[in-house]
Amino acid sequence: MARRALKLASLATVAAAATTGFYLYSKKQLDPNDFGVVRVGRAVATTAVITFDYLTSLRSVPRGTEEYEHVKSQINELFVSFEDAPLGAASLAQVHKAVLQDGRTVAVKVQHPKVQAQSSKDILLMEILILAVKQIFPDFEFMWLVEEAKKNLPLELDFLNEGRNAEKVAHMLHRFSFLKVPKIHWELSTRRVLFMEFMEGGQVNDKAYMERNCIDVNEISRNLGKLYSEMIFVNGFVHCDPHPGNVLVRKCSTTGKAHIILLDHGLYQVLTDNFRLDYCRLWQALIKADMKQIQKYSQRLGAGDLYPLFACMLTARSWESVNRGIDRLPVTAKEDVEIRTNAAAYLPQITKLLNNVPRQMLLLLKTNDLLRGVESALQTRASASSFLNMTRCCIRAVSAYQRSRTNSSYRKAQISLSEAMSLWQINLYELFLRLKGSQLGNWVIALLSWMHHSS
């Protein structure tokens, strides 16, 4: 078993890639006529009654004709302007820029008309295909894809739920001034159409855009890590679709500070306290390279004897790197190639593992994979800042839990003091790393070395 565990060591990103599979149901190709199919009716009371045939009609009617102008006038009752070309389109919905009659510029997210009716058929078809494949390949354990689709798709199709998620995460992370979440215009929104504050910027993986706009890629990567560490370890309420189209960056024209704009709040994972705390302790063990604790908390999270593979999946590092310390060894191209090369060979073990871990873990694996993709595009994966931020959040989360479990004021004070000391040590270590990489730091190190040799 030990030999097999070591063989599994080089698989890091595999599970994240496999985990994204359950999300493919929402990435299928639709009829081209579905894209841009938006119907906007007039507001009744304080709620807009919006259906889906006006823009379809506009596209099928020759411009300049009487019929075209009649259909367009229906849209103009609500909007001063409505851009027919979508800002972005996906299989579930698309987003248009518009200006309301009161002058507000909004983003209008409109659900494709056939999605509601087609979604149950898609899930049924996926279930049949997975059962058929399993008959041919018994090791193919992907029924959890269907279970996750059945649970998540109805939530994603309810845009009012998405609006509530957006407001919740904005309140939850209000202390991060760099985070911007579009405000929801509730008086106009429905389950199938969402009106939001219009925000624009470059995609979070667009390094060229950041360089043109003098945005520090390391700052963006660091702040993105702070957001997700806070969501995962402290709050247990996690935005699970951070692909580049849903995370924008911009430079504020008045303050000059860089903002991160978080979009598309339809898919969130709510973590139970027990899961969240075990996950915190597992990451603390991974950062410390504490093998006994890695095994303990991996097994508590369902990994069993495949805990080396599980550790590699979470960190996107080889087992050798996990043993030596993931914050000490930089990611190399050789390591990435090794991971990709060996991925397919261990698919049965991966599917077994994904079938055994708590369902809360599946979206986290997908989220980890997307965040690593951003770091790779920005070339910031070698930075230790992400691990330091994670450690801070883990310490805060565990300390908060320990305080909640005692009624002793003395014990609570002890926990708070220990927490403050641990956070202070991390801050000191981070300052050392920054000085080490700066000219001032190099000068100080050289001076100390000279003083040592002189004595």
Side-chain angles (χ1 to χ4, degrees):
M1 187 61 222
R3 183 177 299 175
R4 167 155 295 227
L6 291 175
K7 286 183 179 180
L8 296 177
S10 60
L11 299 179
T13 57
V14 179
T19 307
T20 59
F22 75 83
Y23 199 64
L24 292 179
Y25 70 87
S26 68
K27 303 299 181 187
K28 66 182 182 62
Q29 295 295 319
L30 294 182
D31 185 327
N33 292 324
D34 289 346
F35 287 81
V37 181
V38 183
R39 176 182 176 180
V40 184
R42 60 181 75 181
V44 176
T46 58
T47 305
V49 179
I50 300 181
T51 53
F52 299 95
D53 60 355
Y54 281 140
L55 289 183
T56 306
S57 301
L58 281 179
R59 291 185 174 188
S60 62
V61 175
R63 290 178 179 269
T65 64
E66 182 178 347
E67 185 180 1
Y68 180 91
E69 295 302 323
H70 170 72
V71 174
K72 190 174 181 181
S73 69
Q74 305 299 313
I75 297 175
N76 290 341
E77 290 186 20
L78 185 60
F79 301 109
V80 173
S81 65
F82 188 99
E83 295 187 3
D84 190 7
L87 298 171
S91 58
L92 296 183
Q94 62 190 46
V95 180
H96 294 261
K97 182 180 179 181
V99 179
L100 299 176
Q101 291 289 350
D102 61 10
R104 288 178 292 175
T105 302
V106 295
V108 186
K109 183 174 182 178
V110 187
Q111 196 173 115
H112 295 310
K114 299 179 182 179
V115 167
Q116 292 276 358
Q118 189 65 32
S119 60
S120 58
K121 297 177 184 177
D122 291 343
I123 293 174
L124 178 60
L125 177 60
M126 181 169 64
E127 186 170 8
I128 292 171
L129 289 174
I130 288 176
L131 289 172
V133 172
K134 185 170 174 58
Q135 294 299 313
I136 304 171
F137 304 102
D139 290 334
F140 190 82
E141 297 285 352
F142 274 92
M143 188 52 65
W144 53 267
L145 296 178
V146 178
E147 296 169 4
E148 289 300 301
K150 288 179 178 178
K151 181 182 73 174
N152 292 319
L153 187 54
L155 296 175
E156 290 193 83
L157 292 176
D158 182 359
F159 287 176
L160 295 180
N161 177 67
E162 178 176 343
R164 289 189 291 268
N165 287 342
E167 288 196 341
K168 181 175 179 178
V169 80
H171 175 73
M172 189 177 75
L173 302 177
H174 70 276
R175 72 186 188 90
F176 294 120
S177 59
F178 58 81
L179 174 65
K180 302 299 174 185
V181 177
K183 295 179 181 178
I184 307 300
H185 299 299
W186 290 109
E187 75 279 8
L188 298 172
S189 297
T190 70
R191 287 174 59 89
R192 300 173 69 180
V193 180
L194 189 64
F195 280 69
M196 302 165 283
E197 175 186 7
F198 177 76
M199 291 184 174
E200 58 185 341
Q203 292 192 355
V204 72
N205 65 340
D206 191 342
K207 189 176 181 182
Y209 169 87
M210 296 187 204
E211 290 174 349
R212 290 195 305 271
N213 289 273
C214 300
I215 297 174
D216 185 350
V217 294
N218 290 300
E219 179 186 358
I220 293 297
S221 184
R222 186 164 57 247
N223 286 343
L224 191 62
K226 287 180 181 178
L227 289 179
Y228 274 87
S229 292
E230 192 81 10
M231 282 191 273
I232 293 170
F233 299 112
V234 179
N235 294 289
F237 186 67
V238 189
H239 179 283
C240 286
D241 199 13
H243 70 74
N246 288 341
V247 186
L248 306 181
V249 295
R250 71 180 184 191
K251 193 165 189 177
C252 180
S253 57
T254 54
T255 65
K257 294 182 178 180
H259 292 163
I260 294 177
I261 302 169
L262 199 57
L263 305 175
D264 197 346
H265 299 271
L267 188 61
Y268 271 75
Q269 179 66 67
V270 179
L271 309 179
T272 65
D273 285 343
N274 287 338
F275 174 90
R276 181 171 57 86
L277 290 164
D278 282 344
Y279 195 57
C280 281
R281 292 182 171 112
L282 174 57
W283 266 106
Q284 287 179 306
L286 287 167
I287 292 169
K288 293 177 183 177
D290 185 334
M291 294 299 110
K292 289 184 178 180
Q293 293 295 302
I294 289 173
Q295 180 178 1
K296 175 183 177 179
Y297 287 105
S298 293
Q299 291 178 339
R300 286 184 60 158
L301 289 169
D305 291 336
L306 295 175
Y307 70 90
L309 172 62
F310 188 53
C312 295
M313 288 160 46
L314 289 175
T315 59
R317 303 298 301 273
S318 69
W319 184 239
E320 179 186 0
S321 296
V322 172
N323 273 274
R324 295 178 62 184
I326 54 177
D327 63 334
R328 297 180 179 90
L329 294 177
V331 182
T332 64
K334 180 181 178 182
E335 187 177 7
D336 279 339
V337 170
E338 181 185 358
I339 290 165
R340 289 194 297 270
T341 301
N342 292 313
Y346 297 97
L347 186 58
Q349 290 84 359
I350 294 167
T351 57
K352 178 182 177 181
L353 184 55
L354 294 178
N355 200 47
N356 290 339
V357 296
R359 292 294 166 259
Q360 300 167 79
M361 182 63 69
L362 300 177
L363 283 178
L364 288 188
L365 289 169
K366 171 179 176 288
T367 301
N368 286 347
D369 187 44
L370 291 169
L371 292 174
R372 282 195 292 265
V374 171
E375 290 180 344
S376 295
L378 299 182
Q379 298 177 337
T380 58
R381 282 193 66 189
S383 173
S385 63
S386 61
F387 297 119
L388 296 176
N389 287 325
M390 290 170 64
T391 303
R392 287 188 182 97
C393 287
C394 289
I395 290 170
R396 289 169 48 217
V398 172
S399 298
Y401 173 75
Q402 290 173 338
R403 281 192 294 267
S404 71
R405 302 290 291 178
T406 180
N407 293 321
S408 168
S409 298
Y410 176 74
R411 177 58 183 150
K412 287 181 179 180
Q414 276 187 319
I415 295 168
S416 296
L417 179 60
S418 176
E419 175 187 10
M421 289 295 294
S422 297
L423 293 174
W424 179 80
Q425 289 175 343
I426 293 172
N427 292 338
L428 192 62
Y429 179 59
E430 185 173 37
L431 177 62
F432 166 76
L433 291 178
R434 290 183 180 179
L435 286 174
K436 186 178 178 181
S438 66
Q439 289 185 346
L440 175 61
N442 292 334
W443 181 82
V444 170
I445 292 172
L447 178 62
L448 292 174
S449 177
W450 176 80
M451 291 174 64
H452 173 74
H453 290 299
S454 297
S455 61

